[in-house]
Amino acid sequence: MSTFELIDRTLEAYCESHTSPERELLYRLNRRTNLETVNPRMLSDQLQGQFLSFVSKMMKPARILEIGTFTGYSALCLAEGLAPDGELHTVEINVEYEDRIREFFSQSPFEAQLFLHLGDALQLVPEMPGEWDLVFIDADKEDYLRYYEVVMPKVRRGGFILVDNVLWNGKVAEDIACNDRDTKAIDAFNAYVQQDSRVRNLLLPFRDGIMIIEKQ
């Protein structure tokens, strides 16, 4: 367990109590995910969900790509800012989540704008037509750099990529164990983005770390 703490639980609870609450659909999905899945901490919570919603609403993107759907919470948050004729495409490799994702997507006012793709994003994304205005990456940590390079050619100039878990419970700021492949991959990804002349970036110490990347 890392000794690094970004924010203690008391202060985090204060932030939550001074943040707009989840919509009812998101609350129910949050509860179901915590009750019925093995790794509910993979879910975006109220704070991160509101952050994603705010970013999307400020951008009003026509096309959003998400890599790593899990149970669909973050997709529903991102969809709140879609342009009226916009689309959100989300890719999930674990087919066991499909029924729950589709169940909650079907209850969303954005249902017609949500498109679920099942399979490996590294194979599926290159085949998807068009450009992306906003991309959210929250999937297998060892493949972060590969996801980044797959989506970069398809992100429009001035578009944004958001990448979750880039602090990995603070482990990236500590001595990394030689067998800790996830932390090594995230640290290498962060270093790569920092040196990438195609973008400007901000590593935000929010929740487990979010890298905000703008394509120049």
Side-chain angles (χ1 to χ4, degrees):
M1 177 66 69
S2 170
T3 59
F4 184 93
E5 287 191 16
L6 297 179
I7 183 171
D8 67 35
R9 188 65 191 97
T10 301
L11 190 53
E12 185 175 23
Y14 180 87
C15 293
E16 290 172 352
S17 69
H18 291 79
T19 296
S20 296
E22 300 165 305
R23 296 181 186 275
E24 191 269 340
L25 178 62
L26 292 171
Y27 174 78
R28 288 193 286 108
L29 177 53
N30 193 337
R31 289 284 297 161
R32 284 273 300 277
T33 301
N34 276 275
L35 289 170
E36 298 176 1
T37 64
V38 177
N39 294 305
R41 68 189 302 270
M42 292 168 55
L43 183 88
S44 294
D45 62 7
Q46 172 197 1
L47 288 177
Q48 182 167 311
Q50 288 289 359
F51 172 80
L52 295 174
S53 175
F54 266 87
V55 170
S56 186
K57 286 181 177 180
M58 286 187 286
M59 290 186 66
K60 296 180 174 57
R63 286 175 54 80
I64 300 175
L65 171 66
E66 177 183 56
I67 297 178
T69 318
F70 190 37
T71 57
Y73 189 101
S74 52
L76 291 172
C77 293
L78 288 164
E80 293 180 0
L82 275 170
D85 58 348
E87 297 180 353
L88 184 149
H89 293 258
T90 182
V91 183
E92 175 54 49
I93 197 167
N94 190 339
V95 297
E96 293 182 3
Y97 297 133
E98 180 182 4
D99 289 345
R100 184 179 291 104
I101 295 167
R102 294 195 186 281
E103 175 188 347
F104 280 86
F105 279 10
S106 70
Q107 300 173 56
S108 167
F110 310 104
E111 178 187 8
Q113 297 172 272
L114 299 171
F115 299 88
L116 173 64
H117 305 265
L118 297 170
D120 185 347
L122 294 173
Q123 298 176 9
L124 295 176
V125 171
E127 303 302 320
M128 294 181 180
E131 289 187 317
W132 305 109
D133 302 303
L134 177 62
V135 176
F136 181 49
I137 299 174
D138 185 12
D140 181 64
K141 309 313 170 190
E142 288 189 51
D143 281 330
Y144 264 19
L145 189 52
R146 297 175 70 192
Y147 296 140
Y148 178 73
E149 289 296 359
V150 162
V151 302
M152 181 58 72
K154 293 176 169 284
V155 176
R156 68 166 174 82
R157 182 169 294 183
F160 284 85
I161 303 171
L162 306 177
V163 186
D164 197 17
N165 303 119
V166 291
L167 291 179
W168 205 230
N169 199 33
K171 292 181 181 180
V172 292
E174 301 174 344
D175 292 332
I176 301 174
C178 60
N179 62 344
D180 190 346
R181 297 170 62 178
D182 283 343
T183 305
K184 283 185 173 181
I186 293 170
D187 185 48
F189 169 78
N190 292 340
Y192 184 87
V193 173
Q194 182 65 23
Q195 300 299 320
D196 190 349
S197 61
R198 298 172 295 179
V199 305
R200 69 174 187 139
N201 58 294
L202 167 66
L203 200 167
L204 188 65
F206 167 70
R207 205 164 174 260
D208 196 27
I210 292 182
M211 183 76 83
I212 304 174
I213 303 164
E214 180 186 12
K215 184 174 180 179
Q216 300 291 284

